[in-house]
Amino acid sequence: TVKRRNHGRSKKGRGHVKFIRCDNCFQACPKDKAIKRFNVRNMIEAAAKRDMAEASVYESYDVPKVYYKLQHCVGCAIHGRIVRVRSRVNRRNRAPPPRFRQEFKKPTGAPAAVKASA
């Protein structure tokens, strides 16, 4: 009996995989076993963004984003609630969790008014 069909790794035919260091505790962990998340954040937080917009000369300025990849060992990923412990039945579920993305709604009133006047 095995707990996971991939033995907790995504190595398959490779004999050895390089180690990475956990971003939280600096523990050595195989790269294929590490829990990896890609993080995208604004370079400045929301409160400072409003202050910059008020002080800025430009009407609209897109604040650059910071892109970085987080790699955690299994212990830190569970402790930091990046992944959760699942029951034996739910462990077989390989589907990715649903994404909650903000959908920007386009203003619908403006184009109709332009078409009506033309």
Side-chain angles (χ1 to χ4, degrees):
T1 51
V2 290
K3 197 170 186 180
R4 292 169 187 83
R5 79 179 201 181
N6 64 355
H7 306 290
R9 302 180 67 157
S10 61
K11 185 166 66 86
K12 300 306 176 203
R14 290 176 275 280
H16 185 265
V17 179
K18 297 246 178 177
F19 279 77
I20 57 105
R21 293 292 182 161
C22 171
D23 286 339
N24 192 33
C25 67
F26 215 66
Q27 178 183 346
C29 176
K31 187 177 179 183
D32 62 318
K33 189 173 189 171
I35 286 90
K36 297 171 275 293
R37 294 289 183 267
F38 199 70
N39 206 327
V40 181
R41 286 188 177 177
N42 282 328
M43 210 171 258
I44 57 171
E45 69 268 5
K49 188 175 182 180
R50 191 181 36 140
D51 294 340
M52 269 186 63
E54 290 171 1
S56 179
V57 178
Y58 305 107
E59 287 86 25
S60 64
Y61 174 69
D62 290 333
V63 177
K65 295 186 183 301
V66 179
Y67 301 90
Y68 54 97
K69 189 174 186 179
L70 296 172
Q71 296 176 320
H72 294 283
C73 65
V74 176
C76 287
I78 291 170
H79 182 71
R81 299 192 191 113
I82 297 163
V83 291
R84 307 257 170 155
V85 176
R86 296 189 291 173
S87 67
R88 183 179 286 183
V89 176
N90 289 338
R91 247 180 251 147
R92 303 209 175 274
N93 179 11
R94 292 172 58 86
R99 290 191 172 193
F100 301 106
R101 298 189 68 174
Q102 294 177 354
E103 294 188 19
F104 298 104
K105 295 180 181 177
K106 297 178 182 175
T108 54
V114 173
K115 290 178 183 176
S117 63

